Amino acid sequence: MFMSHLFNRRTVLGSMTALGSLYAAAPLLAQTTKIIRIGYQKSSTLISVLKLQGALEKQLAPLGFQPSWHEFTSGLPLLEALNLNNIDFSADVADTVPVFAQAAGAQLTFVAQEAPSPSAQAILVPKDSPLRAVADLKGKNVGFAKAAGAHYLLIAALAKAGLTLADINARYLTPADGRAAFEKGAIDAWVVWDPFLSAARIQSSARLLADGEGLASYQRYYLSSTRFAEANPKVLDVVYAELERAGLWVKRQPKDAAALLGPFWGLDPAIVEQANGNRSYAVRAVTPERLVEQQKIADAFLAEKLLPKPMDALNVPLFKPTAPSRGARG
């Protein structure tokens, strides 16, 4: 089974919101209406905006489609669900996650990419920590989510300091568990992404040890199952255009976006606004040139023996949007 050494199927299915009752509500829709099952996580800002605004319901209706929404704890179980045909479209996941999916043979199509946001993930330490540089992490307990963008950031930061993962005590933790361990002092450092990053810095006065500048670009990807992409290019055109519009809206109206997302995420709008300021939200088509760092990521994980064999991270199906841009609207 896909990525069985990291997540079993029960974990994946358990992380989904109401998937088992997905079709229970189907009679409420017209008999000819089809469903696009969208998976997302807490850091999926633009998909969250579209969900809250009802934008996809409106724009997909003329094509006979309606979205259904399914929340996951992080990117890896999200893409496993995509590979298992439990969802059709994955909201943004960190650049590392597709590498693991591809290594396991998942049939995924890259639909869109967010331009780099290197400051949206970082290595944090408590405000009174004696640790002052990445080199000080040697022998320390460091928490992070396995296969997440934070994982690659840590590898890159350690390498620059002349260390490897073998030089630290790695603690694989979900964002929620990582926050709890960080505040209890169970870990010496925490590597995490926004909005968790901004929440820890504002609420716990966590101190930045290093972010992704010069280390990891942190480009986030939107993916579809290849099966769905080949059968429904017009649907993906609509989704792509709405993501582009949402990205522009968040950057142009930061306070409105924070006010919308704050209650949904259970975070103070000030935290959300800071987190959104760290992300580019510049949605763009995926091209071979924009995938170059994916190979670097794959090679780094192979060197750490976290991938079973060398892989070509660039030979992947790419969706080419054809719908006119609606990013300037609204």
Side-chain angles (χ1 to χ4, degrees):
M1 182 180 292
F2 167 44
M3 296 307 294
S4 60
H5 62 294
L6 293 179
F7 291 92
N8 60 37
R9 188 167 184 175
R10 181 175 297 177
T11 300
V12 175
L13 297 182
S15 70
M16 303 178 69
T17 301
L19 180 61
S21 60
L22 171 61
Y23 293 104
L28 299 177
L29 302 173
Q31 199 167 27
T32 56
T33 299
K34 299 179 181 179
I35 300 293
I36 174 173
R37 300 165 297 173
I38 297 175
Y40 66 99
Q41 52 183 317
K42 192 169 186 177
S43 55
S44 300
T45 306
L46 302 187
I47 281 292
S48 297
V49 167
L50 297 182
K51 181 179 188 294
L52 293 168
Q53 292 179 337
L56 285 181
E57 284 81 355
K58 180 179 179 181
Q59 297 300 329
L60 289 174
L63 297 179
F65 272 82
Q66 287 288 301
S68 64
W69 308 94
H70 310 281
E71 185 175 356
F72 291 76
T73 57
S74 59
L76 199 59
L78 208 170
L79 287 198
E80 182 167 352
L82 190 65
N83 186 58
L84 292 173
N85 194 33
N86 288 324
I87 57 173
D88 305 303
F89 181 83
S90 165
D92 52 314
V93 295
D95 40 19
T96 56
V97 183
V99 167
F100 282 83
Q102 291 166 251
Q107 300 300 303
L108 308 175
T109 292
F110 286 65
V111 176
Q113 176 197 69
E114 286 183 16
S117 301
S119 62
Q121 57 178 358
I123 304 172
L124 298 177
V125 295
K127 61 180 180 179
D128 56 354
S129 170
L131 306 181
R132 296 294 168 180
V134 173
D136 296 334
L137 294 176
K138 185 173 183 178
K140 303 300 183 182
N141 297 316
V142 183
F144 56 95
K146 195 168 190 175
H151 195 163
Y152 175 65
L153 169 59
L154 179 60
I155 291 174
L158 290 172
K160 186 177 180 180
L163 303 174
T164 69
L165 288 177
D167 293 308
I168 66 167
N169 299 318
R171 299 289 183 263
Y172 297 129
L173 301 168
T174 65
D177 290 340
R179 176 69 182 268
F182 185 72
E183 292 183 343
K184 292 177 182 177
I187 53 177
D188 301 294
W190 184 31
V191 196
V192 73
W193 58 95
D194 271 313
F196 310 103
L197 167 62
S198 291
R201 296 198 71 184
I202 291 176
Q203 295 175 333
S204 302
S205 300
R207 178 162 51 82
L208 191 78
L209 198 66
D211 63 14
E213 288 291 345
L215 295 171
S217 294
Y218 193 50
Q219 300 174 110
R220 294 179 69 92
Y221 289 92
Y222 299 81
L223 302 103
S224 168
S225 68
T226 298
R227 170 197 55 78
F228 187 89
E230 291 176 345
N232 302 283
K234 291 183 179 180
V235 173
L236 293 185
D237 263 337
V238 169
V239 174
Y240 180 95
E242 287 303 306
L243 287 170
E244 184 185 44
R245 179 194 65 78
L248 288 171
W249 179 78
V250 169
K251 299 307 282 188
R252 290 172 177 172
Q253 305 292 336
K255 292 193 179 299
D256 290 344
L260 176 71
L261 292 164
F264 182 63
W265 285 348
L267 293 173
D268 187 290
I271 294 174
V272 177
E273 188 171 355
Q274 177 170 303
N276 287 346
N278 291 335
R279 291 270 293 274
S280 74
Y281 297 127
V283 175
R284 59 189 190 180
V286 185
T287 65
E289 296 76 20
R290 291 171 177 168
L291 276 175
V292 170
E293 192 175 19
Q294 292 300 100
Q295 189 62 56
K296 184 178 179 182
I297 292 170
D299 294 343
F301 279 111
L302 179 67
E304 291 288 349
K305 298 181 173 55
L306 292 168
L307 289 180
K309 60 183 179 180
M311 60 169 288
D312 181 358
L314 308 184
N315 186 23
V316 293
L318 305 179
F319 175 74
K320 297 180 180 180
T322 59
S325 172
R326 289 176 285 175
R329 187 193 67 203

